[in-house]
Amino acid sequence: MNLNSEIAFYSELRLLDKARLLNLFLHELAEEARSTYGPGTDQVHDGAHLRFVNELVHRLTRVMEQLLAEDAT
């Protein structure tokens, strides 16, 4: 995978398609987060990884909000 080609691909997408792609990525992140804890609420065995994934989700949902509102900032 060439990062520059991925950036170019993303840059050429319509706003709605960018949001859809980010949504798909968020779904994958949620699955990744599931690997950090057990069945009980007190059974987090990789807190640092879970925190990192949560931070990504937080930032990406803000980007999606801005895309869907057509907010250039």
Side-chain angles (χ1 to χ4, degrees), residues 14-40:
R14 297 177 305 147
L15 291 178
L16 187 58
D17 292 330
K18 286 179 181 179
R20 286 181 176 150
L21 181 64
L22 290 174
N23 184 65
L24 180 63
F25 183 54
L26 288 171
H27 179 78
E28 296 294 326
L29 282 174
E31 287 190 18
E32 179 69 21
R34 286 181 176 173
S35 69
T36 65
Y37 54 84

Side-chain angles (χ1 to χ4, degrees), residues 6 13-15 17 23 34 38 44 55 61-62 70:
E6 297 299 320
L13 292 174
R14 297 177 305 147
L15 291 178
D17 292 330
N23 184 65
R34 286 181 176 173
V44 174
E55 185 64 26
T61 54
R62 180 65 177 138
E70 298 185 29

Side-chain angles (χ1 to χ4, degrees), residues 42-57:
D42 60 343
Q43 295 179 331
V44 174
H45 55 267
D46 192 350
H49 192 99
L50 181 58
R51 184 178 176 99
F52 177 74
V53 170
N54 186 57
E55 185 64 26
L56 285 175
V57 168

